Amino acid sequence: MSGHSDGPITIHPVKDKNDKREFVELAFRLNRGDPAWVPPLKGEVYSLLTPGKNPWFEHGKAQLFLARRKGRTVGRISAHIDELALTQPAEQGMGPGTGNWGLLEAEDEEATRALLVAAEDWLRTQGMHRSLGPLSISVWDEPGLLIEGFDNRPTVMMGHNSPLYRGWIEGTGYRPIKQLINYDVYVKEGFSPLVNRIVAAGEKNARIRVRKVDKKNFDAEAALIMGLLNDAWSDNWGFVPLTDSEIAFVGKKLKTIVFEDLVRVAELDGEAVAFIIVLPNINELLIDMDGSLLPFNWARLLWWLRKPKSRTLRVPLMGVAKKLQNSRMASTLAFMMIELIRRDAVRDYATERGDIGWVLDDNQGMKAVAEAIDAKVNRVYQIYDKML
């Protein structure tokens, strides 16, 4: 990535299939030399960006831009507005007049500046007065810019970017407003005596039942878990509710990589009040696939999915019903779900480490759980805003 320019930058809105292909391919070209970058499956990227495929577009609109110099693509960005985010209370991070940008990739600082200006101009024409990013595309996809932890590979569904982007973005007047923390925890040996005592007491408590999900009844289970998620996270910074069609979409996307013994639902007095979703780290496989399942990667993927061995598992989502938050019961349920999955994962998946994220920097409850199981921060993502 060079800082010098040879010729002016021009900005082009993505209009057709060829533009979109350049938009997707650019990330592969710019990141290929980074050993920690995991190429996403191109089909997934296209479906993220395509109205009709991604149900986010039922309540959002986006404009993609390319930056070119002498006819060559040197950068990309998305600008987008989520109607549901606009209806959230402003003190919770989103709110009226807040538009977003994301999916930034650029060869140099000049291209980055031009792209951010284009995204901000588009947001202004749509009546927005604040720009918040990066989000790719929704807060539920890949939020935040990686600012710490560049040398370790991200686990499944986590973003990675060049360390140069931070200075380039901050140089255009963006200020940090929120950090998302990712933790790494060694799980092979088990947790501290204190955590084990809490779990043992929970297992003796007749009011509590922690169960696996039933994959035969997957749609209902996904709807139950996502309903709990909408409740559990509703006071969180940046929260935007998941719609029914998004819940169905997420369910369909996760179905292939969800294993019954890696997802738990906790019931209190017969009512589902907490959940944890743990995913095998498919990135261990994707790293050599270069974004494509063809010609033989399909077979590798299907073989792996039959019974994955996954040295690292990721916990992308965990939640406790709002009415129980900050109670002792909430932490008991959290430790029980984590420990039950840990036992199965070590035994059946040869798992050694867990990856927990993202955790909001003001989520004291989750940070306390992470500390109690001796988890260490291994990646930090940052979200910025700027008044337009």
Side-chain angles (χ1 to χ4, degrees):
M1 292 191 183
S2 63
H4 69 87
S5 73
D6 43 357
I9 296 272
T10 55
I11 296 291
H12 304 265
V14 168
K15 289 199 173 81
D16 55 29
K17 273 205 167 75
N18 288 340
D19 290 344
K20 195 177 260 189
R21 185 179 308 118
E22 277 192 47
F23 189 95
V24 172
E25 293 291 341
L26 182 70
F28 286 77
R29 178 159 66 78
L30 292 188
N31 292 296
R32 205 157 255 144
D34 182 343
W37 187 71
V38 180
L41 288 172
K42 287 177 189 169
E44 293 280 312
V45 183
Y46 281 110
S47 106
L48 175 77
L49 300 175
T50 307
K53 292 220 167 133
N54 179 355
W56 176 88
F57 284 97
E58 292 165 15
H59 53 86
K61 55 183 164 182
Q63 178 61 60
L64 309 178
F65 294 96
L66 296 171
R68 293 194 178 119
R69 184 185 283 124
K70 290 190 170 165
R72 189 169 158 273
T73 299
V74 293
R76 70 173 208 190
I77 201 168
S78 61
H80 32 95
I81 292 166
D82 183 338
E83 299 293 340
L84 290 178
L86 299 181
T87 65
Q88 298 303 306
E91 63 277 9
Q92 223 174 295
M94 297 290 183
T98 298
N100 307 112
W101 58 271
L103 297 164
L104 173 75
E105 295 286 353
E107 275 188 21
D108 52 51
E109 184 161 10
E110 194 186 3
T112 303
R113 281 178 178 268
L115 287 162
L116 283 165
V117 166
E120 290 160 14
D121 284 347
W122 183 83
L123 291 174
R124 256 188 227 102
T125 63
Q126 305 288 323
M128 300 294 114
H129 53 72
R130 176 171 170 248
S131 164
L132 179 145
L135 301 180
S136 312
I137 269 180
S138 114
V139 75
W140 296 105
D141 293 314
E142 287 181 10
L145 183 83
L146 184 67
I147 59 164
E148 271 174 47
F150 293 98
D151 45 353
N152 55 58
R153 281 181 191 158
T155 51
V156 58
M157 293 164 134
M158 293 212 100
H160 186 79
N161 52 261
S162 160
L164 296 172
Y165 290 176
R166 179 182 187 175
W168 297 350
I169 290 166
E170 291 177 4
T172 65
Y174 278 88
R175 58 179 192 129
I177 49 166
K178 188 53 72 179
Q179 288 191 344
L180 306 169
I181 299 165
N182 193 65
Y183 291 93
D184 168 62
V185 56
Y186 181 65
V187 296
K188 213 171 161 184
E189 306 295 321
F191 302 128
S192 70
L194 170 67
V195 171
N196 292 336
R197 280 200 299 277
I198 294 172
V199 172
E203 289 182 309
K204 289 195 188 83
N205 185 336
R207 297 175 61 202
I208 298 172
R209 173 180 174 233
V210 178
R211 64 174 181 83
K212 299 178 182 181
V213 292
D214 173 12
K215 215 166 167 180
K216 288 192 285 296
N217 197 8
F218 187 76
D219 294 349
E221 294 279 48
L224 170 78
I225 288 174
M226 296 297 162
L228 262 173
L229 176 71
N230 272 339
D231 171 68
W233 286 37
S234 56
D235 289 341
N236 280 8
W237 183 92
F239 174 78
V240 178
L242 283 165
T243 63
D244 290 348
S245 51
E246 284 173 302
I247 288 169
F249 179 71
V250 172
K252 206 167 90 184
K253 203 158 96 171
L254 290 184
K255 193 165 187 170
T256 42
I257 54 169
V258 160
F259 294 86
E260 294 188 327
D261 47 357
L262 296 181
V263 181
R264 291 287 198 285
V265 174
E267 296 171 353
L268 184 64
D269 301 326
E271 180 197 354
V273 290
F275 72 92
I276 183 170
I277 295 177
V278 178
L279 300 175
N281 183 23
I282 198 168
N283 283 7
E284 291 171 18
L285 219 64
L286 293 183
I287 193 84
D288 344 314
M289 286 193 179
D290 202 29
S292 170
L293 288 172
L294 305 169
F296 300 114
N297 288 337
W298 268 117
R300 284 177 59 199
L301 183 64
L302 290 171
W303 179 251
W304 184 83
L305 286 170
R306 285 177 52 184
K307 199 65 188 168
K309 291 288 176 238
S310 189
R311 219 172 57 79
T312 307
L313 293 176
R314 171 166 179 219
V315 184
L317 295 171
M318 182 169 161
V320 179
K322 203 177 350 184
K323 60 184 178 189
L324 289 176
Q325 281 169 14
N326 305 321
S327 67
R328 276 181 62 181
M329 180 58 78
S331 50
T332 298
L333 297 175
F335 288 129
M336 285 178 74
M337 295 187 299
I338 291 170
E339 170 60 18
L340 290 171
I341 286 187
R342 186 200 70 76
R343 291 175 199 167
D344 285 358
V346 170
R347 187 187 64 227
D348 299 336
Y349 295 82
T351 300
E352 293 168 20
R353 318 200 71 85
D355 206 48
I356 303 174
W358 300 267
V359 177
L360 288 164
D361 56 15
D362 58 4
N363 184 341
Q364 300 313 332
M366 202 54 227
K367 284 165 87 171
V369 167
E371 252 159 62
I373 58 175
D374 221 16
K376 304 278 179 273
V377 175
N378 71 338
R379 290 168 85 80
V380 178
Y381 294 81
Q382 190 146 278
I383 294 179
Y384 294 89
D385 80 345
K386 177 182 179 177
M387 300 319 278
L388 296 177

